[in-house]
Structures are given as structure tokens and as C-alpha cells.
Amino acid sequence: MKKEDTVLAGFHAVSSRMKRDPSSIRIVYYDPKRRDQRMRRMIEEIEKAGIRLMQADNNRLDGFSHEVPHQGLIALAAPVSYTHLTLPTIR
């Protein structure tokens, strides 16, 4: 894990980043014991995007996410920079 990595925990966080900026995701860790359809679909999407995918046990995933529920899925990604708009810019 790089110091500047952002930890994305869970399906919603990972899929949102994949839709917004998949190239910012460096690696995805998943629990191979979770074999439901939701996980299978997510793994397929990650593989199609060419993102590095690694198996990890629950303890390792807990270590990345600390207290945040991860649902068996963690991504390490570059931080996203947001553009701040002011009212005169919006016109």
C-alpha cells in the first residue's frame, strides 16, 4: 500500500470509482470465500477494466478498512481531486 493510496471499502465505493475513474484504481483485493453473484459480477468488471486483482483473507481486508465494513472487497486507488466551482464560474 502506498502512502497516498485511498482505501475504497465495499461494493458501492469500488463500483462508483470504477464508473468515474477506473484508471485511478491500482489494485483490488477480494475475499475468495465470497462466491455469490454480486462478487462474481464485480470480479468480471474488474478483470475487463484490466485492474490488478488479488485474493485476500478477511483479516487482511479488515487491516485495510479498519472499522469500515468492506463486504469482502477493498480497492487501493489514487486520491481523486475535485474541481471547486464558484457561482461566477457556473454562468
Side-chain angles (χ1 to χ4, degrees), residues 22-40:
S23 65
S24 71
I25 300 175
R26 192 169 62 78
I27 188 167
V28 176
Y29 293 94
Y30 74 99
D31 184 350
K33 292 180 182 176
R34 182 160 177 178
R35 298 179 181 163
D36 56 272
Q37 185 175 4
R38 188 176 189 192
M39 183 64 85
R40 286 193 307 270

Side-chain angles (χ1 to χ4, degrees), residues 1 5 7-8 13 26 41 45 50 52 62 65 77 81 83-85 87:
M1 183 169 153
D5 280 343
V7 177
L8 307 170
R26 192 169 62 78
R41 278 194 304 245
E45 288 180 36
R52 188 171 170 208
D62 287 345
S65 69
S81 61
T83 303
H84 295 288
L85 301 177
L87 287 176

